[in-house]
Amino acid sequence: MAGGAEQSGTELLAFAQFLDSSPQPLAYGYGRRSLHELRAREFGRLAGTVYLDHAGATLFPQSQLTSFTKDLMENVYGNPHSQNSSSRLTHDTVEQVRYRILAHFHTSPEDYTVIFTAGSTAALKLVAEAFPWVPPGPESSGSHFCYLTDSHTSVVGMREVVAAMNITSIPVRPEDMWLAEEQDATAASDPDGQPLHLFCYPAQSNFSGTRYPLSWIEEVKSGRMCPVGGPGKWFVLLDAAAYVGTSPLDLSVHRADFVPLSFYKIFGFPTGLGALLVNSRSAPLLRKTYFGGGTATAYLAKEDFYIPRESVAERFEDGTISFLDVIALKHGFDVLERLTGGMENIRQHTFTLARYTYAALSALRYPNGAPVAQIYSDSEFSSPEVQGPVISFNVLDDNGNIIGYSQVDKMASLHNIHVRTGCFCNTGACQRHLGISDEMIKKHLQAGHVCGDDVDLIDGQPTGSVRISFGYMSTLEDAQAFLRFIIATRLRPSHGQPLPLATPGEAGALSAESLPATRARRSPSPQEDASPDSRVWDNAPTTVDAVSLRPPLLETTRTQQTPSEKAAGILDGGLGSHIVTNLFLYPIKSCAAFEVTRWPLGNQGLLYDRSWMVVNHNGVCLSQKQEPRLCLIQPFIDLQRRIMVINAQGMEPIAVSLEENSKPAQICQSKVCADRVNTYDCGEKISSWLSKFFGRPYHLIRQSSDFQRNARKKRGKDQSACTTATLSLVNEAQYLLINRSSVLELQQQLSTSKYLLTHCTASCGLLHGDGTIFQGDHGGLSNRCVSLGLALMIKACSDHRSLSDENGKEELFPVNNLISRFRANIITSGTRAFEEEKWDEISVGSLHFQVLGPCHRCQMICIDQQTGQRNRNVFQKLSERRERKVNFGLYLMHTSLDLSSPCYLSVGSQVLPVLKENIEHYDLPASEKQQEVIS
């Protein structure tokens, strides 16, 4: 069951009350067909996952692939342009699929032609190139290309094609079309006149889910409603890509001239295949210039002689079509009909889920009455005729400020909820709903924001939103899991506020009884934190610290005690001093840290830091986001023997040479943060070792020594001031620094939150220790806790034993555990929390580092580096503390580094920062000016 929670009777009753309160009948599911059985049988891969991006791409059922694969295994399909039997089989099957497509849209080959394309975008481009545009002249103003501003990028992009033909493009606002619709219908143009114009609009907005009237097709074509005034005949292109995935389209009633679509929006598979449905009355007008294989009846190579195919489809399908993918469509139609009974059932089911979620999300309020979300919609979700199963929104804080969509997306990922964020390739709708002016769009670009990135807030203003969308296999549990996520992250006790109660009987409101339960994981004891087997020592005066070739294997549930914590008390220096307390390198990207007390520097950072990475069978770099167990791989480097020893529980240690392979190695192309890197495979032996541990084929690759990866980071507001650095396989910078005092403040907040949640569990049975909310036996929050408020709630629950002793020595989130989650290279101590964010430069002995900016955190900080388990509280609490961007730690790079002699970083070294604002230096006492960092 989605979300991993059992559906309670109260949830069913609440949903039934929602259905009863609807002014029109609503349908959920597919009659006698069990939706839960469908999910288990066809979409077992969704177990534990809530997929809410069906407007981006819906999911294919297992039986579709099974049926298609069986078809391919039993038949021989050849190129349809040949005349042999296998080719004729392909040709005839493709023609049958064309008929099936037209029948799906309630039309026939007499009225429409199916032209297969690479997708809806290719279909739109085809229309732009082939439409009979008339350029302006002495006696005519020429053709117009009009498009609704609430259109996909692929529609707006058509204007570049027509501009090359000297054709005018005119954007039309939805408000103008609605206004024209309300006015008296008087003939504004001659439907039989010249020139020819094209109006393009979406049947459904991919941004908000608004469904625009299909009646506009006939109104515009007849001339009763014109996007712009002037003589001429109007044709209509109906962008149906977002609409047909969850709704029937009857082309016998709504006779658009051109209808582009992509089939993966309907079936999930195949991708890269679409079609342009062309009205038979409009097809003869299309003009074609290029001709490719299969489209010519005859042509001459040495003379400008070419006769196109008579069939419209054959004339425009250049080259060999993707015939196997076309055959897959037949199985898609079969399975969709069998599972759901048809598109009308899908429309009703998905709309019911969207309306329920919209009602529940709209009703959520903070204790001060402020809404939790701002929803962008042109309707009140009154009917599927005006609204598709899409909800676009932004989450607000209790002061009404928008929380960036990137932050919401990261939190959703921690709950295994898949959403879409940004403007969804629809800038026009994004501007209209979010109030973003043209000038702001240009300003955002100058600030570095581009479509598809995670720059979600600029000067406090949103650059996009969050979108959820439902598909035919979506369930009530999916919707409720999403709502629980919003409640758990926004309405749990924080800032001294108790949880609000849902109003009984309110349509769409969720009671606390619908919230999931999660068992709290035991924190390690102090004894577990200290491991005498974890040690790093210096066994040669002229070398660096090394570890045993076969170090004792640590229990994966233990937290290592750092060498520095065993050392002197300088590590707990006062607020006035700045000291390096820990040094970490991560030889294998996303694997466990290797802690040292002194270590050499290279031109890319700490020597061997992120020099290797694990990739899958496709050569794609893995991180703990996809494979959390990477943190259980423990590399140890021995510089004397020139090897890296890799350990993991249950595995024999394996050694990898630090020397590059003397034999010519095949260069592998891979990517790190969109940068292409040259690497080489470290061999089958380590690949087999990794594959055995993870249970799937993985490889270890290393960055080539002769490959240089440069990073360019802009500093501050001076966009012209850039710095460069040579990088290993790190994401963005050579070094990452965090401040122990900042970690301590986060730990205090987490411990306080954990204390309150645990005690509320003891009192009311409503909250579990990891912060996940659930309903106990009381049927709601106890009156006792609601009335007392947070401070009194602690007192009221004081009869329950605290999780920490009277000295507070047992930590719910040990400091070392938190430090390890942030995967920094340099840990400092002796500064106030987050004071490091004021630094512009730092010096550590004779080494100088430039601060490049803050590290914007992702959900990887929720992974316990000793166990591989996730705890959502870390990201949530940091998100609350940082308010807007979840920043923690500083990126550093060398400003000057002389490697003619060895350079080292050492624990205990003094750190000298330079502030951003007044460039003030922190002076060290003369007695403390020890050169712990030598070069």
Side-chain angles (χ1 to χ4, degrees), residues 664-929:
Q666 183 177 0
I667 298 298
C668 308
Q669 294 289 325
S670 191
K671 282 194 172 183
V672 174
C673 289
D675 292 338
R676 180 185 61 82
V677 293
N678 284 355
T679 61
Y680 64 88
D681 196 299
C682 294
E684 285 300 321
K685 185 176 180 181
I686 182 61
S687 175
S688 299
W689 191 93
L690 291 169
S691 301
K692 179 180 178 181
F693 179 77
F694 289 106
R696 60 188 67 184
Y698 286 159
H699 297 265
L700 184 70
I701 62 177
R702 182 179 183 181
Q703 183 173 357
S704 301
S705 60
D706 58 354
F707 177 79
Q708 183 168 303
R709 175 177 169 231
N710 294 321
R712 297 183 62 84
K713 294 281 291 185
K714 292 183 177 180
R715 295 184 53 228
K717 297 181 180 180
D718 183 3
Q719 298 297 315
S720 64
C722 294
T723 54
T724 60
T726 302
L727 301 181
S728 61
L729 299 176
V730 295
N731 285 354
E732 295 189 52
Q734 294 174 330
Y735 298 89
L736 179 59
L737 176 148
I738 64 173
N739 176 7
R740 183 179 287 264
S741 297
S742 302
V743 178
L744 288 171
E745 179 173 307
L746 176 61
Q747 181 207 31
Q748 183 180 12
Q749 294 173 346
L750 285 166
S751 299
T752 301
S753 174
K754 196 94 166 185
Y755 177 90
L756 295 174
L757 294 175
T758 304
H759 282 71
C760 190
T761 303
S763 177
C764 303
L766 283 173
L767 301 171
H768 257 311
D770 72 343
T772 306
I773 310 172
F774 78 103
Q775 174 59 46
D777 299 327
H778 294 278
L781 282 170
S782 72
N783 293 332
R784 182 185 184 197
C785 285
V786 171
S787 61
L788 289 174
L790 196 62
L792 293 180
M793 180 166 52
I794 298 173
K795 187 176 186 301
C797 298
S798 61
D799 55 319
H800 298 281
R801 189 175 68 87
S802 170
L803 292 184
S804 58
D805 63 22
E806 60 182 4
N807 296 320
K809 291 183 178 179
E810 183 176 347
E811 301 165 334
L812 297 172
F813 286 91
V815 173
N816 291 341
N817 180 292
L818 287 178
I819 287 176
S820 67
R821 292 170 185 259
F822 292 106
R823 299 182 63 80
N825 300 110
I826 304 170
I827 316 298
T828 65
S829 183
T831 60
R832 291 175 290 274
F834 299 103
E835 183 180 354
E836 67 276 11
E837 295 182 352
K838 298 179 181 179
W839 296 353
D840 191 58
E841 303 172 12
I842 67 168
S843 295
V844 185
S846 62
L847 294 171
H848 303 283
F849 300 89
Q850 180 69 56
V851 174
L852 299 182
C855 176
H856 186 44
R857 292 297 178 172
C858 67
Q859 55 269 39
M860 260 183 65
I861 64 175
C862 294
I863 299 174
D864 187 320
Q865 296 298 297
Q866 279 69 52
T867 67
Q869 300 299 311
R870 284 188 172 93
N871 186 301
R872 302 165 184 164
N873 274 5
V874 178
F875 190 93
Q876 170 69 15
K877 186 56 62 177
L878 186 60
S879 171
E880 294 171 1
R881 171 63 176 83
R882 309 304 285 159
E883 295 182 353
R884 288 294 173 266
K885 288 292 185 181
V886 188
N887 295 333
F888 199 93
L890 299 178
Y891 282 129
L892 306 176
M893 66 163 281
H894 299 300
T895 54
S896 61
L897 184 66
D898 180 11
L899 292 178
S900 59
S901 58
C903 299
Y904 299 88
L905 269 177
S906 297
V907 168
S909 300
Q910 300 292 322
V911 178
L912 182 66
V914 177
L915 296 183
K916 290 180 181 179
E917 298 175 357
N918 53 15
I919 317 299
E920 172 188 345
H921 289 261
Y922 283 74
D923 292 326
L924 295 176
S927 60
E928 297 181 5
K929 291 184 178 179

Side-chain angles (χ1 to χ4, degrees), residues 187-260:
S189 66
D190 179 6
D192 297 319
Q194 294 291 332
L196 307 182
H197 310 300
L198 181 65
F199 174 57
C200 179
Y201 79 99
Q204 175 180 303
S205 168
N206 73 309
F207 183 90
S208 64
T210 295
R211 285 180 170 169
Y212 292 102
L214 297 177
S215 60
W216 285 0
I217 298 171
E218 185 58 33
E219 292 294 309
V220 171
K221 289 178 64 175
S222 67
R224 292 191 297 271
M225 186 174 73
C226 294
V228 295
K233 182 177 181 180
W234 283 94
F235 292 78
V236 176
L237 187 157
L238 181 71
D239 180 8
Y243 180 84
V244 296
T246 55
S247 191
L249 175 62
D250 191 340
L251 292 180
S252 68
V253 176
H254 307 292
R255 301 175 61 83
D257 297 288
F258 311 103
V259 182

